[in-house]
């Protein structure tokens, strides 16, 4: 706690006036926790990815698992599936979440508090119940959705039996489950946009759309970066939905990298291979996240 | 914000309300099914067409659940663990987010990169070694085993970093000029402006802990220590799952988080107080 | 007292009770006769005869001296064998209830042992056991309830994960259990790692009312070809499909029908030597039968999962036959009481005329964890619950799991008439166990083979692919992943 020299009120970054140690002190709990609970597991997992269980013995195989992964057609199928779901679902969901947050923040909407809760609640539902529910709803024979479709003259859809529709089902389930999550993050961020900006813009005669584009969106930039990166990572790691709805089927059409990892680890007991998949996934996520950061930061003033 | 009562605004209001309402009904409809299912026996839950009329087994299901299976214990455990986790984790993540957002220091990039790597690596991969650590520490079946490992939640750190970026530097600078200490600035100047984000963080942390399944499954040993997801999973068998109980339990487990969300609602709309920079 | 027949010296001292005698004899100098423990092997017989002659030849004084030393050994041995401590058991719902019910009787024999049965849930228990095994056996319960589809993988991947029960005398129980089931719980070289708990055979449940409506006599259906031929007639007369299948394999366990058909021909994914046989003549024939049925339009596409099973048995989704396992019999009665009399049970049709009409369709075992600090007590509990009539009766009463222990199957009252099915249900399953079903070798790679097969099946059912082609591809895939060879 040093007394700061009197500084003129400039907008330059403060250097030298804040104690050097403060950020480290604030980060201390995180550093201790990481050192305690993350270092060993990550190193262990990395080492494990270089091994294989042969006849009950864990044997060092160098980059063998990675080599096998590079020529594994099922892995590439999983990768393709995951990427398809990623580029379709994430923009869709975030776009919806954005509109929702704006609506929840606007005086145009009645009963805001109730609807805010309604859209958030899906994320609370447990996986088992949610799996049963959606499988029942999307059952092509006697599910409610097809029942409703037929009653309005639409054809029945093979929701979980067709490779394309199965992916659509996963996307629908994901959107139902997580849109509220992103909406809440956007809503929180919206609160930090000063109301005066909107008032000034209205006085200047800006339309609602212009206000949205020039005030709301830029104000939401940090939250948008956050949700884009988080949703991307979450989708790349996707496991829950394919596990309960389709088991990766039909014929691996909805097999995601997350599911393939789980299968190799907890069904085939091939932990070395599963760890290798995990680290390759981390690498992919790292590259994509980096690109996203660059892209989303570039435009900052 | 002033409420616009012009005719155009009214039409817009109606349109928005209708669209949101339709979406909202879609969001809530599955919960209606869940509530209905909780009032039935297993054999009546699965019907063609789906059973949408409430039954009379709710009390039986709940009694079986709470008295027979000790579900109340699980709810208590989960609530306690999730609350402590949200409070402590909130502190840790907020402090870290503040450091990343408002300071420049050596190793900043690397450290944040590590945060992201930890976020990126799927948790299944680190399950076994983490379990080994818990065995070594003799922390199996304890609260600390559930709370501590993920206290520094990368998602939370990331969220706080992003939201703190919009805290005006002038605010902090002015406080420094006035001679306030760093921790005081953090606690009394920065945090109060962040109520919505803190509320969001609290909810997310609580939820993350509440829904966590695989790790608690492995670490908890006795049924009186089970958290809600683990307790619900123990109701499943190969050929004799009591779905009435299971779904009633799921319904019950939704309530605490829902309650927390409603309680924190008012923080999500900070309203007029947000803009603290006086011209 | 039927033990310790030869231990005249020990008995003479008057301080030995039969129970202690039984336990002590394992460690004493003089082996005892174990009439109630099953067949004795020739080695034991020889030893007894030798000792008997030794006794006769020795003088009375020497015998007294021997008795005293034996007593001393007995004293120390007795205190060492008086079991104590706590053992935990991991299982799920109904099987756990069954084991819980056996604890009381077990405690009468071993009052010093506390048994805690934990209901972990299924499939939650697999993640728990697997993680524990992968962490070197840390934190595992003493007794583990393991499914037939998992045990092979545990045995081979974690060689010290489960106790080799042959070393503590499990082999003595072998004759009391169905040989096929017993072998599936052993390693390739015959070491026993699990004692069969639940034994499931294939039930064949059919809708008598639908068959009657279509004018088909169920007894005229001898082979699966007959059944498939009857399908279109059934559909025309009643509108019901013959059978349901999860064509898109939305749950992992979607190969039930193919496994049944292949088992009925004496084969499986792997042969006894561990070579891949899933694309062999039997496997191919099975898939071709399935395709034939599918092409005839009599297979309903109904995903797996409990909800759909419920709807089939309640008649809300009309299918004419359900080849479910023996455990399903109880489910029909509990969950679809108003269908009583409509569902009947019979042995499955054979694939070839005169072929097998029985198959083991799964089951579970009880094993002892290698890291258990109380292996003795754990093994005694397993033996009691699964290998004694008293224990089995308590277990069956408490959980209803279909047993494999022969004395239990033959016990009074086990075969009862069921009004629901108008038949002696258990009798069917006992008859199946009596048939010469092949050893089903799950091996460590069952999960991979299952996945490869179900993907192939999906291609046949949804895309009309050629069975031979997809089966060969699936076999090649498994071979590539596991290093096994495809049998010729």
């Amino acid at each position: 706690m040093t007394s700061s020299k009197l500084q003129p009120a400039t907008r330059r970054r403060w250097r030298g006036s804040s104690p050097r140690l403060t950020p480290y002190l604030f980060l201390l709990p995180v550093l201790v926790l990481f050192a305690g609970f993350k270092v060993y597991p990550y190193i262990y997992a990395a080492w494990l990815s270089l091994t294989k269980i042969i006849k009950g013995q864990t044997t060092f195989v160098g980059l063998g698992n990675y080599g096998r992964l590079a020529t594994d057609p099922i892995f590439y199928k999983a990768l393709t599936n995951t990427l398809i779901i990623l580029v379709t679902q994430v923009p869709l969901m975030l776009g919806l979440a954005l509109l929702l947050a704006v609506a929840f923040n606007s005086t145009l909407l009645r009963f805001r508090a109730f609807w805010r809760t309604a859209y958030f609640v899906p994320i609370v539902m447990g996986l088992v119940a949610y799996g049963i529910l959606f499988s029942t709803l999307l059952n092509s024979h006697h599910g409610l959705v097809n029942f409703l479709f037929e009653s309005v003259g639409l054809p029945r859809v093979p929701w979980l039996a067709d490779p394309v529709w199965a992916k659509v089902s996963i996307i629908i389930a994901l959107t139902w489950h997580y849109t509220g999550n992103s909406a809440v993050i956007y809503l929180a961020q919206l609160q930090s946009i000063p109301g005066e900006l909107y008032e000034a813009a209205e006085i200047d005669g800006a339309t609602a759309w212009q206000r949205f584009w020039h005030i709301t969106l830029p104000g939401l930039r940090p939250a948008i970066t956050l949700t884009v990166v988080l949703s991307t990572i979450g989708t790349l790691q996707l496991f829950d939905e394919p596990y309960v709805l389709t088991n990766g089927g039909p014929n691996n059409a909805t097999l995601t990298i997350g599911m393939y990892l789980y299968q190799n680890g907890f069904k085939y007991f091939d932990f070395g291979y599963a760890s290798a998949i995990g680290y390759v996934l981390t690498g992919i996520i790292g590259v994509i996240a980096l690109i996203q950061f660059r892209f989303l930061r570039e435009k900052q003033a | 914000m002033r409420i616009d009562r012009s005719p155009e605004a009214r039409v817009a209001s109606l349109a928005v309300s209708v669209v949101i309402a339709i979406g909202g009904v879609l969001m809530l409809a599955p919960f209606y099914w869940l509530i209905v299912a909780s009032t039935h026996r297993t054999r009546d839950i699965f019907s063609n067409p789906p059973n949408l009329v409430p039954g009379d087994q709710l009390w039986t299901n709940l009694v079986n659940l709470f008295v027979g299976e000790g579900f109340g214990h699980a709810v208590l455990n989960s609530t306690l663990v999730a609350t402590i986790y949200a409070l402590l984790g909130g502190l840790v993540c907020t402090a870290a987010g503040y450091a990343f957002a408002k300071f420049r220091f050596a190793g900043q990039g690397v450290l944040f990169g590590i945060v992201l790597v930890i976020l990126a690596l799927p948790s299944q991969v680190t399950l076994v070694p983490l379990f080994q650590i818990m065995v070594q520490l003799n922390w199996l079946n304890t609260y600390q085993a559930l709370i501590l490992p993920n206290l520094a939640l990368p998602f939370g750190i990331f969220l706080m970093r992003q939201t703190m970026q919009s805290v005006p530097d002038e605010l902090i600078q002015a406080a420094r000029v006035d001679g306030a200490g760093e921790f005081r600035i953090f606690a009394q100047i920065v945090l109060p402006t962040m109520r919505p984000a803190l509320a969001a963080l609290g909810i997310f942390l609580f939820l993350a802990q509440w829904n966590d399944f695989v790790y608690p499954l492995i670490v908890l040993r006795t049924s009186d220590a089970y958290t809600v997801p683990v307790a619900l999973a123990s109701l499943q068998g190969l050929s004799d799952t009591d779905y009435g109980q299971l779904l009633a339990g799921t319904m019950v487990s939704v309530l605490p988080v829902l309650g927390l969300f409603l309680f924190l609602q008012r923080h999500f709309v900070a309203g007029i107080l947000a803009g603290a920079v006086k011209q | 007292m039927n033990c310790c027949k030869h231990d005249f010296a020990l008995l003479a001292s008057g301080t030995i009770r039969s129970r202690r005698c039984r336990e002590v004899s394992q460690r004493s100098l003089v082996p005892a006769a174990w009439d109630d423990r099953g067949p004795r092997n020739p080695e034991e017989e020889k030893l007894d005869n030798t000792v008997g002659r030794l006794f006769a030849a020795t003088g009375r004084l020497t015998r007294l001296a021997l008795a005293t030393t034996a007593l001393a050994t007995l004293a120390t041995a007795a205190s060492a064998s008086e079991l104590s401590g706590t053992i935990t058991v991991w299982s799920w719902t109904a099987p756990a209830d069954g084991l819980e019910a056996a604890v009381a009787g077990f405690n009468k024999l071993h009052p010093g042992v506390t048994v805690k049965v934990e209901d972990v849930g299924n499939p939650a228990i697999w993640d728990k056991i697997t993680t524990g095994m992968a962490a070197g056996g840390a934190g595992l319960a003493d007794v583990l309830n393991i499914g037939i589809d998992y045990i092979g993988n545990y045995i081979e991947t974690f060689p010290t994960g489960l106790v080799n029960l042959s070393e503590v005398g499990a082999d003595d129980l072998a004759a009391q259990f169905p040989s096929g089931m017993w072998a599936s719980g052993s390693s390739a070289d015959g070491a026993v790692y699990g004692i069969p708990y639940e034994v499931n055979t294939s039930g064949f449940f059919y809708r008598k009312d639908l068959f009657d409506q279509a004018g088909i006599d169920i007894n005229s259906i001898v082979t699966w070809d007959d059944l498939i031929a009857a399908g279109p007639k059934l559909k025309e007369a009643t509108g019901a499909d013959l059978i349901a299948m999860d064509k898109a394999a939305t749950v992992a366990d979607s190969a039930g029908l193919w496994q049944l058909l292949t088992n009925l021909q004496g084969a499986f994914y792997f042969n006894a030597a561990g070579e891949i046989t899933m694309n062999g003549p039997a496997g191919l024939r099975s898939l071709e039968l399935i395709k034939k049925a599918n092409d005839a339009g009599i297979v309903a596409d109904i995903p797996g999962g409990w909800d759909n099973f419920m709807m089939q048995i309640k008649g809300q989704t009309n299918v004419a036959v359900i080849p479910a396992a023996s455990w399903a019999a109880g489910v029909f009665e509990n969950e679809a009481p108003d269908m009583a009399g409509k569902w009947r049970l019979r042995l499955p049709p054979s694939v070839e005329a005169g072929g097998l009409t029985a198959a083991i369709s799964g089951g579970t075992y009880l094993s002892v964890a290698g890291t258990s600090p109380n292996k003795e007590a754990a093994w005694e509990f397993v033996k009691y619950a699964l290998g004694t009539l008293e224990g089995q009766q308590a277990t069956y009463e408490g959980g209803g799991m279909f047993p494999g222990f022969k004395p239990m199957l033959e016990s009074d009252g086990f075969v009862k008439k069921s009004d629901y099915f108008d038949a002696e249900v258990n009798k069917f399953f006992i008859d199946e166990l009596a048939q010469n079903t092949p050893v089903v070798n799950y091996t460590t790679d069952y999960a991979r083979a299952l996945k490869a097969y179900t993907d192939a099946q999906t291609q046949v059912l949804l895309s009309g692919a050629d069975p031979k082609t997809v089966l060969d591809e699936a076999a090649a895939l498994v071979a590539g992943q596991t290093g096994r060879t495809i049998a010729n």
Side-chain angles (χ1 to χ4, degrees):
Chain A
M1 208 178 82
T2 56
S3 58
S4 49
K5 306 188 279 278
L6 269 170
Q7 293 263 341
T10 59
R11 284 184 187 266
R12 280 219 325 275
R13 291 243 177 246
W14 17 261
R15 268 174 195 260
S17 70
S18 55
R20 299 285 156 87
L21 274 179
T22 315
Y24 296 106
L25 285 177
F26 276 100
L27 280 169
L28 195 61
V30 167
L31 291 172
V32 168
L33 287 166
F34 278 1
F37 298 108
K38 302 287 178 195
V39 168
Y40 169 64
Y42 280 68
I43 296 179
Y44 179 88
W47 172 78
L48 205 61
S49 74
L50 302 175
T51 67
K52 187 176 167 139
I53 297 185
I54 302 177
K55 297 244 182 297
Q57 294 283 72
T58 306
T59 336
F60 182 76
V61 290
L63 294 175
N65 287 326
Y66 291 97
R68 206 176 117 206
L69 202 55
T71 56
D72 185 351
I74 301 184
F75 174 69
Y76 286 110
K77 187 123 193 225
L79 186 58
T80 316
N81 291 337
T82 314
L83 289 175
I84 291 177
I85 295 179
L86 176 69
V87 301
T88 330
Q89 201 268 341
V90 170
L92 172 70
M93 183 177 79
L94 294 186
L96 279 176
L98 196 57
L99 296 175
L100 283 175
V102 170
F104 292 150
N105 202 32
S106 142
T107 50
L108 285 180
L109 180 63
R110 307 297 215 62
F111 307 114
R112 283 200 297 284
F114 175 72
W115 292 123
R116 264 202 301 262
T117 317
Y119 278 84
F120 181 73
V121 152
I123 199 175
V124 184
M125 200 177 202
L127 189 62
V128 175
Y130 156 59
I132 297 173
L133 174 65
F134 271 80
S135 318
T136 318
L137 284 177
L138 295 174
N139 191 317
S140 29
H141 252 246
H142 41 246
L144 192 59
V145 178
N146 269 354
F147 182 68
L148 291 173
F149 270 36
E150 269 193 327
S151 39
V152 293
L154 291 168
R156 293 177 153 239
V157 173
W159 292 109
L160 300 175
D162 176 81
V164 173
W165 285 108
K167 289 195 182 70
V168 172
S169 306
I170 302 267
I171 290 174
I172 292 177
L174 275 173
T175 309
W176 178 83
H177 204 191
Y178 291 111
T179 304
N181 206 15
S182 300
V184 165
I185 295 177
Y186 290 150
L187 188 59
Q189 183 75 54
L190 279 177
Q191 308 314 306
S192 69
I193 301 178
E196 295 89 18
L197 286 179
Y198 288 107
E199 287 170 21
E202 263 193 80
I203 292 169
D204 285 350
T207 64
W209 174 252
Q210 282 173 326
R211 291 201 300 271
F212 177 76
W213 190 256
H214 292 288
I215 302 176
T216 312
L217 274 187
L220 277 176
R221 179 174 300 284
I224 291 178
T225 310
L226 174 69
T227 49
V228 167
V229 174
L230 284 180
S231 302
T232 304
I233 295 180
T235 313
L236 284 168
Q237 290 178 345
L238 185 62
F239 168 74
D240 289 350
E241 275 76 8
Y243 182 63
V244 294
L245 286 180
T246 60
N247 195 43
N251 195 23
N252 292 330
T254 54
L255 183 72
T256 58
I257 303 178
M259 261 222 78
Y260 193 46
L261 197 163
Y262 175 80
Q263 277 175 358
N264 275 289
F266 287 86
K267 292 267 173 170
Y268 309 154
F269 298 174
D270 196 347
F271 290 100
Y273 201 56
S275 303
I277 296 175
Y279 270 104
V280 167
L281 181 60
T282 310
I284 296 174
I285 291 176
V287 167
I288 296 184
L290 210 67
I291 298 174
Q292 286 176 330
F293 259 116
R294 279 284 146 75
F295 183 72
L296 287 162
R297 189 183 289 167
E298 215 84 84
K299 313 224 178 114
Q300 230 168 16
Chain B
M1 275 187 243
R2 293 159 308 159
I3 297 180
D4 192 349
R5 290 266 181 248
S6 67
E8 298 87 10
R10 284 194 188 227
V11 168
S13 173
L14 189 65
V16 170
S17 298
V18 165
V19 169
I20 296 286
I22 294 176
V25 165
L26 287 177
M27 289 285 150
L28 290 178
F31 286 91
Y32 177 70
W33 174 85
L34 183 63
I35 296 172
V36 167
S38 313
T39 63
H40 284 295
R41 278 171 309 200
T42 305
R43 75 178 83 146
D44 297 320
I45 294 174
F46 302 117
S47 310
N48 174 27
N51 204 343
L52 295 176
V53 177
D56 55 355
Q57 293 292 310
L58 181 60
W59 186 244
T60 319
N61 282 336
L62 289 176
V63 167
N64 283 341
L65 198 55
F66 281 88
V67 176
E69 303 283 345
F71 193 62
H73 242 291
V75 175
L76 219 64
N77 286 333
S78 272
T79 312
L80 206 62
V81 169
T83 309
I84 298 176
Y85 179 74
L87 291 172
L88 288 180
L91 222 62
V92 170
C93 292
T94 316
Y98 179 57
F100 279 123
K102 290 300 171 191
F103 290 84
R104 283 211 182 285
F105 54 94
Q108 182 173 24
V110 172
L111 207 53
F112 193 67
I114 293 180
V115 170
L116 286 183
V117 168
I118 293 182
L119 184 59
L121 191 69
S123 58
Q124 292 156 3
V125 173
T126 50
L127 205 58
V128 173
L130 189 57
F131 177 65
Q132 286 176 326
I133 295 178
M134 291 303 141
V135 171
Q136 289 296 331
L137 290 172
N138 211 8
W139 277 4
L140 290 184
N141 222 29
T142 61
Y143 281 164
Q144 59 265 30
L146 296 180
I147 296 175
L148 291 181
N150 289 313
L151 209 53
L153 195 65
F155 163 70
I157 300 173
F158 200 173
L159 175 68
M160 284 296 106
R161 173 187 183 268
Q162 297 305 101
T163 46
M164 289 209 177
Q165 279 175 354
S166 29
V167 173
D169 295 336
E170 299 80 30
L171 207 59
I172 303 170
Q173 187 65 338
R176 284 212 186 97
V177 165
D178 288 347
E182 289 300 322
F183 287 96
R184 205 155 141 224
I185 295 176
F186 176 64
Q188 293 181 344
I189 309 282
V190 178
L191 284 189
T193 67
M194 299 207 41
R195 286 237 299 270
L198 287 177
L201 179 66
I203 295 267
F204 290 134
L205 287 176
F206 188 90
L207 200 57
Q209 187 64 44
W210 186 265
N211 278 344
D212 197 11
F213 172 61
V214 186
Y215 177 66
L217 171 72
I218 302 171
V219 158
L220 298 174
R221 315 262 100 196
T222 54
S223 45
D224 55 1
Y226 283 174
T227 54
V228 166
V230 181
L232 288 178
S234 75
L235 295 176
Q236 285 179 295
L238 274 181
S239 57
D240 62 330
T241 309
D242 187 337
Y243 281 97
Q245 264 185 52
L246 184 66
L247 295 174
T250 307
M251 185 188 72
V252 166
S253 74
V254 167
L255 300 175
V257 189
L258 201 55
L260 185 66
F261 186 75
L262 289 172
F263 173 68
L264 291 176
Q265 273 278 0
R266 54 202 180 94
H267 295 294
F268 281 112
V269 210
I272 312 147
L273 104 102
V277 178
K278 306 284 189 290
Q279 299 301 80
Chain C
M1 220 163 5
N2 41 13
C3 80
C4 309
K5 257 204 229 142
H6 299 281
D7 298 343
F8 299 127
L10 299 176
L11 283 175
S13 64
T15 58
I16 319 303
R17 286 172 303 225
S18 62
R19 171 168 45 101
R20 287 253 172 91
C21 180
R22 199 184 310 151
E23 282 149 23
V24 161
S25 304
Q26 262 188 319
R27 293 171 191 74
S28 72
L29 305 165
V30 182
W34 299 65
D35 296 273
D36 58 335
R37 298 243 356 244
R40 303 168 55 200
N41 56 42
E43 251 65 57
E44 259 184 68
E45 293 268 13
K46 235 170 55 178
L47 196 55
D48 277 346
N49 288 337
T50 323
V51 173
R53 267 175 283 166
L54 198 65
F55 254 98
T58 324
R60 205 163 174 258
L61 206 62
T62 335
R63 244 180 286 166
L64 206 57
L66 270 174
T68 327
T69 31
L71 255 177
T73 331
L74 167 68
T76 40
S79 51
S81 74
E82 192 51 48
L83 297 175
S84 65
T86 313
I87 57 170
T88 38
V89 180
W90 281 355
S91 182
W92 57 88
T93 55
D97 292 339
L99 293 175
E100 185 73 57
V103 174
F106 176 71
N107 277 143
K108 289 212 192 75
L109 295 174
H110 301 278
V113 180
T114 317
V115 182
K116 290 208 181 111
V117 178
E118 293 285 343
D119 178 354
V120 182
N122 185 326
I125 194 173
W126 306 128
D127 285 343
K128 204 156 174 163
I129 297 181
T130 306
T131 310
M133 293 266 190
L140 287 173
D142 301 279
V143 177
L144 304 169
N145 190 1
I146 304 183
I148 194 173
D149 48 344
Y150 275 88
I151 196 167
N153 208 353
Y154 283 129
I155 294 174
E156 203 175 302
T157 313
F158 307 107
T160 53
L162 298 176
V163 170
N164 179 347
L165 299 174
S166 298
E167 289 170 1
V168 288
D171 293 332
D172 296 340
L173 290 171
Q176 313 269 54
F177 289 89
S179 56
M181 191 73 194
W182 184 263
S184 293
S186 314
S187 65
D189 47 7
V192 177
Y193 287 90
I195 310 293
Y197 178 6
E198 183 186 355
V199 178
N200 290 320
T201 42
S202 292
F204 191 79
F205 302 90
Y206 64 96
R207 286 279 297 276
K208 185 164 189 324
D209 58 320
L210 292 178
F211 274 86
D212 287 344
Q213 197 180 338
I216 303 173
D217 176 16
I218 193 69
N219 294 318
S220 67
I221 297 186
V222 176
T223 66
W224 281 85
D225 284 309
D226 295 338
L227 184 66
I228 295 174
K233 241 175 95 180
L234 261 167
K235 185 136 191 198
E236 217 188 293
T238 67
D241 285 305
L242 179 69
I243 198 172
M245 286 192 74
D246 187 348
K247 296 191 189 179
T250 62
V251 296
D253 195 6
S254 306
L257 182 57
W258 181 87
Q259 284 177 199
L260 169 62
L261 294 172
T262 313
N263 279 345
L264 290 173
Q265 299 171 73
F268 198 51
Y269 297 98
F270 307 100
N271 60 17
E275 296 168 319
I276 299 171
T277 52
M278 57 194 283
N279 60 337
L284 182 56
R285 178 104 170 84
S286 308
L287 188 52
E288 282 171 346
L289 277 171
I290 292 174
K291 181 167 165 56
K292 195 163 115 180
N294 193 38
D295 290 342
I298 51 175
V299 177
D301 186 4
I302 297 185
W306 196 251
D307 46 341
N308 293 305
F309 183 61
M310 284 286 105
M311 290 196 237
Q312 288 176 56
I313 70 178
K314 288 200 294 186
Q316 291 179 338
T317 303
N318 273 334
V319 289
V321 308
I322 303 184
S326 42
W327 54 257
V331 178
F332 278 91
E333 299 197 46
N334 284 337
E335 305 291 351
D338 24 321
M339 295 290 284
K342 292 194 183 157
W343 284 106
R344 296 296 166 90
L345 178 61
R346 55 159 277 179
L347 292 176
S350 57
V351 175
E352 301 299 339
L356 283 171
T357 55
I360 303 251
S361 68
T364 68
Y365 299 85
L366 284 186
S367 305
V368 177
T371 49
S372 163
N374 211 343
K375 294 190 185 64
E376 267 186 70
W379 171 232
E380 288 299 320
F381 180 69
V382 172
K383 255 192 319 182
Y384 176 75
L386 301 184
T388 65
L389 187 56
E390 190 193 319
Q392 276 278 276
Q393 278 171 334
T395 308
Y396 186 65
E397 192 74 24
M401 298 294 111
F402 197 92
F405 187 55
K406 287 184 186 161
M408 179 66 195
L409 296 174
E410 292 155 7
S411 66
D412 288 331
F414 185 70
V415 175
K416 283 189 295 255
K417 177 102 184 294
S418 154
D419 289 326
Y420 188 92
F421 290 107
D422 194 26
E424 289 174 334
V425 169
N426 285 343
K427 190 160 183 336
F428 281 104
F429 305 130
I430 295 176
D431 284 345
E432 284 196 54
L433 286 175
Q435 288 191 40
N436 202 4
T437 52
V439 174
V440 180
N441 192 6
Y442 279 78
T443 77
T444 176
D445 294 317
Y446 170 68
R448 290 190 197 270
L450 176 64
K451 179 83 173 63
Y453 171 72
T454 48
D455 289 340
Q457 182 180 273
T458 304
Q459 290 178 63
V460 170
L461 293 177
L462 293 179
S463 321
D466 169 49
K468 180 145 183 31
T469 320
V470 296
L471 270 181
D472 286 339
E473 279 170 5
L477 179 64
V478 177
Q481 288 174 340
T482 63
R484 290 180 189 270
T485 47
I486 302 177
N488 294 333

